[in-house]
Amino acid sequence: AQRVTQPEKLLSVFKGAPVELKCNYSYSGSPELFWYVQYSRQRLQLLLRHISRESIKGFTADLNKGETSFHLKKPFAQEEDSAMYYCALTDQGAQKLVFGQGTRLTINP
Amino acid sequence: DAGVIQSPRHEVTEMGQEVTLRCKPISGHNSLFWYRQTMMRGLELLIYFNNNVPIDDSGMPEDRFSAKMPNASFSTLKIQPSEPRDSAVYFCASSRLAGTNEQFFGPGTRLTVL
């Protein structure tokens, strides 16, 4: 069965410090991994996807199939990064998303 | 484009009452998803439709829940009878069936069942 684990419910870092939000998954097929973000009073929205291999708002995430991980990283956190972050998985080309429990990131000034 | 529209934004009802949540997907999107978000279980997919046809309803918790999509621009999620454990935020999302499978979420409906 597909499963996504985000071990940290809460993460707090200081502005300018590096950020890493952890995501591990279990799936035997060919997964597509995503990070979705929900800023305060805004809708849940796609942040990035592993197949795009791009950096969005300074964030990157690399799919590590050996470790079954898709951690989200940013070298220097900004206050506007404070939000709820969800890691999600689907089979390649499929539609059904399985979400992790989410991590609430707080950036302290 | 206003994005995915959900109504009502907040609903407070008493146990045993029928609750109907509504969703209007983004025009041109032909896939629609209903999710439930709780503290305990996070964000769970309840059901999704392609071209108005239900494809996977394995996430629907029990027979008290039903969902319909009578046309491409409207879907409902109904709970009858409602129970306190149904209290959650219910999200609707839509996407294009072809191309990228990015889902666009609505603002959610916060349901409280007393």
Side-chain angles (χ1 to χ4, degrees):
Chain A
Q2 299 170 345
R3 187 178 178 87
V4 178
T5 303
Q6 293 179 250
E8 303 139 327
K9 282 198 171 182
L10 302 170
L11 183 62
S12 182
V13 301
F14 285 102
K15 177 182 171 182
V19 174
E20 182 178 54
L21 290 86
K22 291 184 167 53
C23 172
N24 289 91
Y25 66 92
S26 61
Y27 184 58
S28 56
S30 299
E32 272 194 67
L33 274 295
F34 306 82
W35 278 98
Y36 277 77
V37 61
Q38 187 172 25
Y39 301 103
S40 178
R41 299 188 190 86
Q42 293 187 30
R43 303 176 183 210
L44 190 64
Q45 58 188 283
L46 178 66
L47 179 62
L48 55 78
R49 58 204 305 160
H50 89 269
I51 59 173
S52 298
R53 293 184 167 274
E54 55 189 346
S55 173
I56 305 292
K57 299 185 178 183
F59 284 98
T60 59
D62 291 319
L63 179 60
N64 186 323
K65 291 187 177 182
E67 295 183 358
T68 59
S69 69
F70 189 56
H71 303 326
L72 184 68
K73 301 177 183 179
K74 184 169 182 176
F76 308 103
Q78 298 171 290
E79 289 186 64
E80 53 264 35
D81 296 329
S82 294
M84 192 76 178
Y85 290 81
Y86 291 93
C87 183
L89 171 155
T90 186
D91 196 5
Q92 278 193 11
Q95 296 177 278
K96 188 172 177 177
L97 281 175
V98 175
F99 283 87
Q101 292 275 67
T103 298
R104 182 169 296 283
L105 175 64
T106 301
I107 308 301
N108 300 307
Chain B
D1 190 351
V4 175
I5 298 172
Q6 290 187 246
S7 65
R9 294 293 307 277
H10 301 273
E11 177 80 31
V12 180
T13 190
E14 292 187 343
M15 183 174 64
Q17 296 298 306
E18 177 180 298
V19 174
T20 299
L21 311 181
R22 297 173 176 78
C23 175
K24 177 178 167 51
I26 292 172
S27 178
H29 284 191
N30 41 16
S31 295
L32 183 139
F33 307 80
W34 281 102
Y35 292 89
R36 178 172 67 176
Q37 183 184 47
T38 60
M39 289 290 289
M40 292 297 294
R41 301 173 69 90
L43 201 58
E44 304 172 283
L45 178 66
L46 300 177
I47 185 171
Y48 78 93
F49 298 81
N50 283 344
N51 296 317
N52 314 338
V53 176
I55 302 301
D56 186 338
D57 65 354
S58 58
M60 295 285 264
E62 48 198 275
D63 291 346
R64 296 185 298 106
F65 285 68
S66 62
K68 294 182 180 179
M69 192 163 185
N71 57 62
S73 58
F74 183 66
S75 177
T76 59
L77 178 67
K78 186 176 292 186
I79 309 173
Q80 165 65 13
S82 58
E83 297 182 3
R85 60 191 166 122
D86 301 330
S87 297
V89 180
Y90 292 81
F91 288 101
C92 177
S94 70
S95 71
R96 294 186 191 280
L97 188 52
T100 71
N101 49 6
E102 178 179 356
Q103 295 183 18
F104 294 81
F105 283 76
T109 295
R110 183 173 295 277
L111 173 65
T112 303
V113 183
L114 303 174

